[in-house]
Amino acid sequence: MLNKTVRLANGYEIPSIGFGTWQTPDGCTAIRAVKEALDHGYMHIDCAAVYGNEKSIGKALKKSGIDRKKLFITSKLWNTERGYDKTLAAFEQTLSDLQLDYLDLYLIHWTANAKQFPNWKELNADTWRAFETLYKQGKIRSIGVSNFKKHHLEALIADSTIKPMINQIEFHPGFMQKETVDFCHENRIVVEAWSPLGTGKMLNNEILKTIAEKYHVSVAQLCIRWCLQNNVIPLPKSVTPNRIQENIDVYDFEISDEDMAAINEMKYCGGSGLDPDEIDF
Ligand SMILES: NC(=O)c1ccc[n+]([C@@H]2O[C@H](COP(=O)([O-])OP(=O)(O)OC[C@H]3O[C@@H](n4cnc5c(N)ncnc54)[C@H](OP(=O)(O)O)[C@@H]3O)[C@@H](O)[C@H]2O)c1
């Protein structure tokens, strides 16, 4: 039996499936999608300032009337806001947009990289100091990063007092980022999977279709369950009511060791193509 929550290194519990909100249009679509997700039991919503829809998500959270303590809300600091003072200001903006008085998780959206910043290590460390301040003030219950590879994590850990509790990375069949995931698990950093369906690119894969048929589930459900069985928290996104429901209905089947191995061994079959060391945004 899989647990429906995962314990972070600081003891805080995170629901083991989160609801993605990237490319969810701002306004009534975002409000409706989040309402639908909450109605189907997603208590964990993955947001980001750069998605441009935090105000709408804030409205949906407020309207739901759900006890704040039951919700787990994540946001991310965008790349233009790195550095100590800018991070503090960006955080306050996100909190106000979401109409919240604390976040459950705040992430550095992308590592600064050597290609753009000769001082990338210092820049990440300065940003992280602001995260530590907000964490100590109780304004964020857990802090983490996104799109950090092993060498980015090593540099940050060497330069800080609190280790990231989460690393959110691209993770789907054919793209498992094993070195990063192993490093995270060895260091009690929980891994979250962005694009667990490869932004839809996994859904017509023949290997996945054949395995999904065996369990009478959809390829989306197979990918989500596969993340969970790899101890990774999936963040599926959808604006479509029946898909939103389907994507959280993954607790009553189990992928066999043999099928897990077959999926784990799949070759690259599509993804974002983004490498944190190469990005220029
Ligand atoms: N940290 C980062 O840098 C980063 C980067 C990318 C994403 N993320 C996070 O990860 C979340 C998920 O990644 P993602 O948005 O790339 O996409 P995803 O969850 O991998 O795939 C979403 C796509 O699949 C479709 N879909 C969802 N469920 C389906 C189902 N059951 N059957 C058929 N189609 C289905 C959706 O369509 P409809 O919506 O039209 O139903 C949408 O086109 C994001 O929303 C965001 O929160 C983070």
Side-chain angles (χ1 to χ4, degrees), residues 74-86:
T74 302
S75 186
K76 313 185 193 82
L77 175 87
W78 187 239
N79 302 352
T80 48
E81 310 306 315
R82 296 185 182 109
Y84 189 84
D85 292 332
K86 280 165 91 180

Side-chain angles (χ1 to χ4, degrees), residues 75-236:
S75 186
K76 313 185 193 82
L77 175 87
W78 187 239
N79 302 352
T80 48
E81 310 306 315
R82 296 185 182 109
Y84 189 84
D85 292 332
K86 280 165 91 180
T87 296
L88 296 180
F91 170 77
E92 291 301 335
Q93 184 62 52
T94 272
L95 210 55
S96 143
D97 287 350
L98 288 167
Q99 300 188 51
L100 299 175
D101 52 16
Y102 70 91
L103 282 184
D104 297 278
L105 174 65
Y106 199 39
L107 304 174
I108 299 182
H109 206 142
W110 288 87
T111 178
N113 63 23
K115 189 170 173 177
Q116 291 188 80
F117 303 100
N119 65 338
W120 66 273
K121 288 183 188 171
E122 288 76 19
L123 193 48
N124 281 343
D126 278 352
T127 306
W128 191 249
R129 270 198 304 116
F131 274 56
E132 292 183 338
T133 299
L134 293 164
Y135 177 70
K136 286 178 192 154
Q137 290 172 346
K139 291 182 174 177
I140 315 174
R141 300 295 149 88
S142 51
I143 51 178
V145 296
S146 176
N147 300 302
F148 274 51
K149 293 168 39 176
K150 183 175 175 226
H151 58 283
H152 306 122
L153 286 166
E154 283 170 336
L156 186 66
I157 291 168
D159 245 351
S160 59
T161 54
I162 304 174
K163 236 192 225 181
M165 293 148 202
I166 297 256
N167 187 15
Q168 181 181 126
I169 56 171
E170 182 174 358
F171 183 91
H172 46 72
F175 194 70
M176 291 184 71
Q177 307 214 54
K178 196 169 170 357
E179 188 187 39
T180 302
V181 171
D182 287 350
F183 179 83
C184 288
H185 287 162
E186 281 156 19
N187 283 277
R188 290 204 66 198
I189 299 170
V190 169
V191 178
E192 293 184 334
W194 64 254
S195 296
L197 317 178
T199 321
K201 291 185 186 119
M202 298 299 113
L203 301 175
N204 289 317
N205 181 280
E206 290 304 326
I207 299 173
L208 295 173
K209 275 179 157 169
T210 306
I211 297 176
E213 273 166 23
K214 268 172 61 176
Y215 297 92
H216 309 290
V217 297
S218 67
V219 172
Q221 288 173 311
L222 182 77
C223 292
I224 292 163
R225 178 76 198 194
W226 169 82
C227 290
L228 293 172
Q229 288 185 220
N230 272 310
N231 296 317
V232 171
I233 295 181
L235 307 169

Side-chain angles (χ1 to χ4, degrees), residues 55-71:
K55 283 190 180 158
S56 299
I57 294 171
K59 283 184 194 155
L61 296 175
K62 186 121 202 162
K63 254 173 81 179
S64 77
I66 295 175
D67 180 359
R68 174 68 185 91
K69 289 198 274 308
K70 290 194 176 144
L71 297 168

